[in-house]
Amino acid sequence: MTPNTSAIEHAAPEPQSLAANPIISVRDLVHRYQNRTALGGISFDVRPAELFGLLGPNGSGKTTLFRILSTLMAPSAGTAVIAGLNVVRDPAELRRHIGVVFQAQSVDPKLTAYENLWHQGHLYGLHGPALKARIEEILTRVGLLDRAQDRVESFSGGMQRRVELAKGLLHHPEVLLLDEPTTGLDPGARRDLWQYLRVLRDQEHVSVIVTTHLMEEAERCDRLAILNEGKLVALGTPEELTREIGGDVILLEARDPEALAEQIRTRFHVDATVMDANVRLEIENGHRFIPDVVEAFPGEIHALSVRKPTLEDVFIHRTGHRFWNEEPADEKKSKKKKKH
Amino acid sequence: MATAAIPASRAPSVGVLLPAFTLWWREVVRFYRQRGRVAGVILSPLLFWIVIGSGFGTSFRSGQAAGQQHYLDYFYPGALVMIVLFTAIFTMMSVIEDRNEGFLLSVLVAPVPRAAIVLGKVLGGTTLATIQGLIFLVFAPLVGVHMTLASFGLIVLTVFLTSFALTALGFAIAWPMDSSQSFHAIINLFLIPLWLLSGALFPLSGASRWIRAVMYINPLTYGVEALRTLMYPLAPSSLSFTLTASILTLVLFTMFMFGLAFAVANRRTVGSR
């Protein structure tokens, strides 16, 4: 039998041509809990030294995917290969090649920053002077060397996250997996973290996979996969994805949005939908359309906005509903929600 | 297909000892940095011993097996086992905390064999419970215990074995749990009676037939009995078996409990949430 990476490449050739061999290769990944399908057949590749985002609302399956990639859970079907190692068949070996930063705090607040890393190093077989040198190196990297001997419980949220990051990077992983890494951080600490992830990618060529439910974070990724209800709904660079919508997004505030949407559909032959009591439509050259629509329905429109599409629009475009399903929704959407 | 997995296993393993050592170290350091916990496990059994011991003392005098012993003396080995029980079981509450906080996840994604996790955590708890038990030995001269070097060594061994077995039991109980409340419930339902029926509070000989049966199959009985024999070699033993038999039973119990902890840790592969 040939090594499994090449076997997979032959079995399922990717439509997009990749410059280098993918560092992560996910094929037809399925995961079912007792009564619920969390992942319904997902395939994508991550390139080496790429900042890759997994974007999806809560319950989209991204946490399940994260757990499978970090070897905590075996998928029901399909394969995931990281750095040439299968997550199901070679978890023990794979664990040396990946660094994982969980959303929940994994540093021990009763230990100092140095002790936390000392402990972590032992779990990866590092010890003695080499470990000491590496701890000092990584603490310098995350800017905490002067606080090395302080207990983590005295640190701010942003500093604790940096210790988490240092833990994940201590053993020089090729792939770093981060689950919602900016949860609970203030904007400054958030910016610092993303800055550091880019440095990591550029200088150490680490492939970074980040799950997030925040659009503005997803926009900072090199490429991203958008998940919804266990399906991959979009894959590409943020620019590619927003460009594909084309033109502009127009939102109209109206007295009777349903009626207005209906009238716009018959009169202008565009796909106007109602979303959060607004009429929403995607259209080329929005600025030219606006005078027409305002004149066509005098007094009907209270306010309007026109903007370039965002990742949220990509999500709406691909799924037909808003990213935040739990927000006040009209009846059509609440029916959709009840399927679960 | 199976052959494809072989190359990966050629890489040198992290081994069991280094990760087990570091988990043991964390367990011990963490404990002594929480002053409240230290005070709790030392003071509460001490209070128990003095309050229960003094209170029961007068009404117990007529009990035949205690002989001429004062109840505070009789109760001393039982109180020591209680300290060990409390410390051992409560240190394993850290398993639940680790799981809820995410610390355990970071250990589970490290290239560490499950055996190392069990060994490190259980030895950590064992160390703490043994130390707390030995600290209590400071009071031994007050209750008329005279130890030789040999009997001291055997007392340490007995305390260690009891600690190890109970910590492993605590690990096995805590591993599948998500909340410390349910852990407390199990302790109250199961472990406190286990201690009550170990001969710690009252001697076997005076008990009714079915309680005596429970005491005979209760592994803690052998810990209490071994300690009592070692501390009061002249007092009449309430059991019909020897010190060697007690200690051997403890060894078997310890091995069984560690096996149980290991099996439980291997069964659950995910920090499911």
Side-chain angles (χ1 to χ4, degrees):
Chain A
M1 183 83 214
T2 49
N4 50 38
T5 43
S6 60
I8 279 156
E9 272 157 28
H10 291 307
E14 254 297 275
Q16 49 185 178
S17 64
L18 293 171
N21 282 332
I23 186 83
I24 298 183
S25 176
V26 171
R27 290 290 171 277
D28 307 316
L29 211 58
V30 174
H31 193 77
R32 285 180 212 93
Y33 296 107
Q34 274 106 341
N35 50 3
R36 190 170 76 84
T37 301
L39 288 178
I42 281 180
S43 302
F44 64 88
D45 281 338
V46 178
R47 298 166 195 159
E50 185 171 48
L51 194 45
F52 189 87
L54 290 173
L55 174 69
N58 299 333
S60 60
K62 65 180 189 306
T63 302
T64 303
L65 179 57
F66 185 87
R67 282 174 174 263
I68 291 171
L69 293 180
S70 57
T71 73
L72 281 174
M73 234 162 56
S76 310
T79 55
V81 175
I82 304 179
L85 297 161
N86 187 301
V87 294
V88 179
R89 262 178 284 148
D90 324 306
E93 175 60 14
L94 174 57
R95 285 172 186 151
R96 305 155 153 275
H97 296 268
I98 57 172
V100 188
V101 177
F102 292 98
Q103 188 180 356
Q105 171 178 301
S106 83
V107 290
D108 189 327
K110 294 287 170 199
L111 302 183
T112 68
Y114 185 93
E115 287 168 341
N116 264 293
L117 294 172
W118 190 69
H119 174 75
Q120 176 81 358
H122 289 159
L123 297 180
Y124 285 82
L126 305 168
H127 55 89
L131 175 59
K132 187 172 185 291
R134 177 61 184 155
I135 292 174
E136 280 162 12
E137 186 187 359
I138 199 85
L139 280 176
T140 311
R141 271 282 189 180
V142 298
L144 287 173
L145 190 62
D146 55 329
R147 300 293 303 270
Q149 301 305 330
D150 294 343
R151 286 194 201 168
V152 170
E153 61 191 348
S154 70
F155 286 11
S156 71
M159 287 161 72
Q160 293 194 0
R161 278 276 124 182
R162 270 140 72 193
V163 183
E164 294 279 358
L165 202 58
K167 264 184 87 171
L169 289 167
L170 191 66
H171 59 289
H172 289 291
E174 292 154 62
V175 175
L176 183 67
L177 302 164
L178 302 112
D179 193 13
E180 305 269 358
T182 58
T183 307
L185 295 190
D186 61 53
R190 245 169 224 221
R191 239 184 348 260
D192 288 350
L193 185 78
W194 276 93
Q195 178 62 33
Y196 186 69
L197 294 181
R198 278 192 289 271
V199 168
L200 208 59
R201 170 197 66 188
D202 296 339
Q203 293 181 6
E204 308 200 0
H205 308 290
V206 175
S207 313
V208 182
I209 287 79
V210 180
T211 74
T212 182
H213 63 276
L214 300 172
M215 300 289 172
E216 64 270 25
E217 290 199 349
E219 272 159 21
R220 300 181 195 193
C221 296
D222 296 332
R223 285 197 312 137
L224 63 125
I226 304 183
L227 298 181
N228 181 52
E229 294 176 357
K231 296 273 185 198
L232 192 68
V233 293
L235 178 68
T237 67
E239 296 74 35
E240 281 167 9
L241 294 176
T242 47
R243 205 185 309 131
E244 139 205 13
I245 291 189
D248 305 295
V249 174
I250 294 176
L251 290 175
L252 303 167
E253 235 175 78
R255 202 178 46 230
D256 186 354
E258 291 287 353
L260 182 65
E262 180 57 45
Q263 283 170 303
I264 291 176
R265 278 196 290 269
T266 42
R267 177 120 172 221
F268 293 98
H269 306 289
V270 291
D271 185 22
T273 53
V274 177
M275 202 152 274
D276 294 345
N278 284 327
V279 179
R280 181 184 179 282
L281 43 100
E282 292 163 9
I283 196 162
E284 295 277 354
N285 298 319
H287 58 282
R288 276 188 219 149
F289 176 75
I290 286 169
D292 296 347
V293 76
V294 175
E295 266 175 45
F297 310 107
E300 292 276 334
I301 297 165
H302 295 171
L304 64 82
S305 68
V306 56
R307 56 175 170 78
K308 290 288 165 202
T310 63
L311 284 175
E312 169 135 35
D313 295 309
V314 174
F315 189 84
I316 294 168
H317 184 80
R318 295 287 184 103
T319 65
H321 64 85
R322 276 184 70 89
F323 191 74
W324 293 111
N325 240 347
E326 55 266 65
E327 271 181 345
D330 64 44
E331 275 162 7
K332 197 165 65 191
K333 274 172 291 167
S334 42
K335 254 184 234 147
K336 200 175 178 116
K337 229 171 28 173
K338 279 192 193 112
K339 270 197 290 190
H340 287 272
Chain B
M1 271 312 209
T3 51
I6 288 170
S9 60
R10 257 192 262 127
S13 155
V14 172
V16 171
L17 291 183
L18 189 61
F21 157 75
T22 207
L23 287 162
W24 166 83
W25 171 86
R26 169 180 178 264
E27 203 67 29
V28 174
V29 167
R30 204 182 140 78
F31 180 80
Y32 287 108
R33 285 186 187 171
Q34 290 165 284
R35 298 259 158 72
R37 280 178 70 187
V38 181
V41 292
I42 294 185
L43 291 180
S44 63
L46 190 62
L47 274 174
F48 250 70
W49 176 50
I50 293 170
V51 173
I52 296 186
S54 314
F56 269 6
T58 35
S59 51
F60 200 77
R61 189 118 339 139
S62 56
Q64 60 275 63
Q68 284 97 20
Q69 259 185 319
H70 188 276
Y71 186 67
L72 219 50
D73 303 355
Y74 174 83
F75 187 39
Y76 183 75
L80 198 154
V81 167
M82 182 163 91
I83 292 181
V84 169
L85 176 76
F86 271 36
T87 317
I89 298 291
F90 281 113
T91 52
M92 286 301 100
M93 212 135 83
S94 69
V95 173
I96 299 170
E97 287 163 17
D98 290 349
R99 184 181 294 286
N100 290 342
E101 275 168 12
F103 175 86
L104 189 66
L105 288 179
S106 75
V107 177
L108 291 177
V109 298
V112 172
R114 284 291 158 90
I117 301 177
V118 184
L119 194 65
K121 292 266 336 165
V122 170
L123 275 181
T126 306
T127 306
L128 296 171
T130 307
I131 290 174
Q132 302 299 12
L134 295 185
I135 287 175
F136 194 65
L137 279 183
V138 170
F139 301 105
L142 297 179
V143 289
V145 174
H146 304 288
M147 285 178 281
T148 62
L149 204 60
S151 71
F152 179 73
L154 285 171
I155 287 173
V156 173
L157 177 71
T158 307
V159 170
F160 175 82
L161 287 173
T162 312
S163 301
F164 196 102
L166 290 172
T167 313
L169 176 63
F171 183 98
I173 295 173
W175 184 264
M177 288 197 173
D178 293 330
S179 83
S180 44
Q181 281 93 333
S182 37
F183 189 69
H184 276 289
I186 294 275
I187 289 171
N188 290 335
L189 189 77
F190 180 57
L191 293 177
I192 302 294
L194 201 68
W195 174 77
L196 290 174
L197 298 178
S198 67
L201 272 175
F202 51 84
L204 216 82
S205 50
S208 71
R209 183 180 287 259
W210 72 269
I211 285 191
R212 209 182 312 175
V214 173
M215 286 166 100
Y216 267 109
I217 56 167
N218 179 358
L220 272 189
T221 307
Y222 301 88
V224 172
E225 204 54 36
L227 286 175
R228 187 163 287 141
T229 314
L230 285 163
M231 289 173 173
Y232 305 109
L234 300 176
S237 171
S238 57
L239 286 185
S240 50
F241 40 74
T242 61
L243 181 65
T244 320
S246 289
I247 290 185
L248 280 179
T249 312
L250 271 183
V251 169
L252 284 178
F253 176 50
T254 305
M255 282 170 17
F256 173 77
M257 283 304 167
F258 187 74
L260 180 71
F262 185 69
V264 169
N266 269 298
R267 195 168 46 101
R268 175 154 166 174
T269 48
V270 195
S272 78
R273 224 189 323 160

